[in-house]
Amino acid sequence: MSDTGSDGAEVATASAWSADLDCAACHGAEAESAAAATCAAGFHMTSQDFQCTTCHADEAGLTEAHGDMTGKAPKKLKKTSVDAALCETCHDSASLAEATASSTVLTDDQSTTINPHDVPENAEHEAHTCLDCHSGHGEDNVEETARDFCVGCHHENVYECHTCHE
């Protein structure tokens, strides 16, 4: 099935999303990043032979988000879930913590340094994922992204808990 896009080019459409569709047909920016070795998606797709659905593996969520794709753009996902367990099949947390033990990227205003891959275990940190700091499709500086993410909760740039609020 095909339609004509706003630029007159023929655009393939389907009645429903499936894992074997060409994601690049609608997700051009993501497809470009997947070709750039400087971003995580590009590195994994070129050197590890990943496909889009290697990381974006939630078929039920993707099916729902794309809905009926006949002639209309699918709903945008606010944030696609990429399971941290998938990342950990190659990047196990113990090795990452060891590799970044001397990192000073996360140093607060009181000179407290936190290893970005060995944050204190607590309820607030449990929900964090790899993508909170590591952009899959962007070429963001991971050091800046990590600091910005931490400051989202540690807004006084103090990593020690229970020091800001009574």
Side-chain angles (χ1 to χ4, degrees):
M1 199 186 265
S2 66
D3 285 327
T4 303
S6 60
D7 62 353
E10 194 171 285
V11 178
T13 60
S15 59
W17 178 86
S18 72
D20 60 344
L21 289 176
D22 178 15
C23 302
C26 297
H27 300 280
E30 291 80 3
E32 284 181 28
S33 73
T38 55
C39 76
F43 170 79
H44 288 95
M45 290 184 87
T46 58
S47 69
Q48 305 298 308
D49 200 29
F50 279 22
Q51 303 301 312
C52 298
T53 53
T54 304
C55 296
H56 302 282
D58 177 15
E59 288 195 34
L62 290 167
T63 299
E64 180 184 341
H66 288 86
D68 180 11
M69 297 181 357
T70 54
K72 63 180 181 176
K75 291 185 285 184
K76 287 194 177 244
L77 294 173
K78 297 294 181 208
K79 185 171 186 176
T80 302
S81 174
V82 174
D83 191 351
L86 172 72
C87 300
E88 291 174 0
T89 59
C90 295
H91 309 282
D92 69 273
S93 55
S95 296
L96 287 173
E98 185 179 319
T100 57
S102 63
S103 173
T104 58
V105 169
L106 299 180
T107 302
D108 70 8
D109 288 345
Q110 295 184 357
S111 300
T112 300
T113 300
I114 301 293
N115 181 337
H117 294 109
D118 192 20
V119 297
E121 291 184 25
N122 60 41
E124 289 82 13
H125 292 152
E126 281 182 20
H128 300 328
T129 70
C130 302
L131 295 180
D132 292 331
C133 300
H134 298 275
S135 172
H137 289 284
E139 295 187 53
D140 301 338
N141 178 311
V142 69
E143 294 177 359
E144 290 175 19
T145 305
R147 280 191 299 264
D148 290 348
F149 182 75
C150 291
V151 170
C153 294
H154 298 277
H155 53 271
E156 296 294 328
N157 200 26
V158 174
Y159 296 150
E160 185 180 357
C161 292
H162 310 293
T163 59
C164 298
H165 305 282
E166 303 267 338

